[in-house]
Amino acid sequence: MRIYAERFLPWIMEKALDRPVFRDQRRTALLPARGRVLEVGFGFGASLDAYPAAGVVAVTALDPNPGMQRRARRRIAGSPVPVRSVRGFAEALPFPRAVFDTVVSNWTLCSLRHLPESLCEIRRVLAPGGTFLFLEHGLAASPRLARMQRFLTPLQRRIAGGCRLDVDIEAAIRSAGFRIEALERYQSAWTPRALAQMCRGLARPS
């Protein structure tokens, strides 16, 4: 599984998530990004093209997968914003308290092994007045579709690096002590329905 996770999965994720439909969604989600940014689950680095040209001082790119970090090198080298790549896990962020103005999560919360602890860590490293920007897929409002998501989640976790289809993103963020100030739910085009239930928003520590 390590060979799959570090060599094949990064390639699959880039092919799947670098399509125009997802680039547009990232660009909208990241418009409020400012100052010192931490991106949790940086992956192959597609978000670097989506950050606003003005306002972002530097990006710290956190990912636990060395294969993803290798995949991101080309994009980091071409970034107009300074980027520091760090290998680490969201549930134990290797940073002091209150050092980032913005924390970003793009299709990452679904795959975190310890989601409540990770969200508490995100809150810990946010500076006073900082923002948490999230773009995620999650549990559907439709009971019938939600049942399908729960049924498919064990398979999805095996083939997609731990990704779960049945995470209630809004509830998890609120439970971690965040106040959600903007929230948009929508169904993404060109995506299977079980994966298409998107949740995009902005939150601040309560």
Side-chain angles (χ1 to χ4, degrees):
M1 288 299 290
R2 181 177 176 181
I3 293 175
Y4 173 77
E6 293 187 12
R7 295 187 179 275
F8 294 102
L9 183 61
W11 180 83
I12 292 169
M13 296 301 286
E14 184 166 7
K15 291 297 182 185
L17 293 176
D18 201 27
R19 292 180 289 164
V21 63
F22 296 125
R23 290 181 212 153
D24 292 343
Q25 292 176 55
R26 282 192 203 92
R27 196 168 291 111
T28 300
L30 297 181
L31 274 176
R34 295 291 184 273
R36 300 156 297 173
V37 175
L38 167 65
E39 184 169 341
V40 176
F42 185 72
F44 57 91
S47 58
L48 290 178
D49 295 331
Y51 282 109
V56 173
V57 174
V59 174
T60 299
L62 182 97
D63 204 284
N65 187 330
M68 287 290 192
Q69 290 183 305
R70 286 192 296 269
R71 196 91 192 167
R73 285 174 185 164
R74 176 179 56 83
R75 294 176 191 260
I76 290 174
S79 172
V81 177
V83 180
R84 178 167 68 114
S85 181
V86 176
R87 187 180 179 195
F89 294 89
E91 64 264 30
L93 293 175
F95 310 111
R97 180 181 300 274
V99 292
F100 295 103
D101 304 298
T102 308
V103 177
V104 169
S105 169
N106 288 319
W107 296 302
T108 295
L109 300 184
C110 61
S111 61
L112 296 180
R113 296 179 301 176
H114 305 286
L115 181 55
E117 293 85 349
S118 299
L119 287 167
C120 287
E121 279 287 271
I122 288 171
R123 191 182 65 193
R124 179 183 68 82
V125 300
L126 271 172
T131 58
F132 174 38
L133 305 179
F134 56 93
L135 170 58
E136 304 287 341
H137 69 84
L139 189 66
S142 160
R144 183 176 180 181
L145 183 53
R147 284 195 297 272
M148 180 188 297
Q149 290 175 312
R150 293 188 179 101
F151 175 77
L152 293 173
T153 285
L155 175 62
Q156 175 73 4
R157 293 185 73 176
R158 289 184 66 84
I159 65 176
C163 170
R164 293 174 53 189
L165 302 171
D166 59 354
V167 179
D168 187 334
I169 297 297
E170 179 183 355
I173 292 173
R174 292 188 189 279
S175 295
F178 284 94
R179 179 180 69 258
I180 296 179
E181 297 186 354
L183 181 66
E184 180 186 4
R185 294 182 178 275
Y186 62 97
Q187 182 167 306
S188 177
W190 306 104
T191 310
R193 287 188 69 212
L195 279 162
Q197 312 308 307
M198 301 298 175
C199 184
R200 176 169 58 201
L202 182 154
R204 300 182 195 274
S206 298

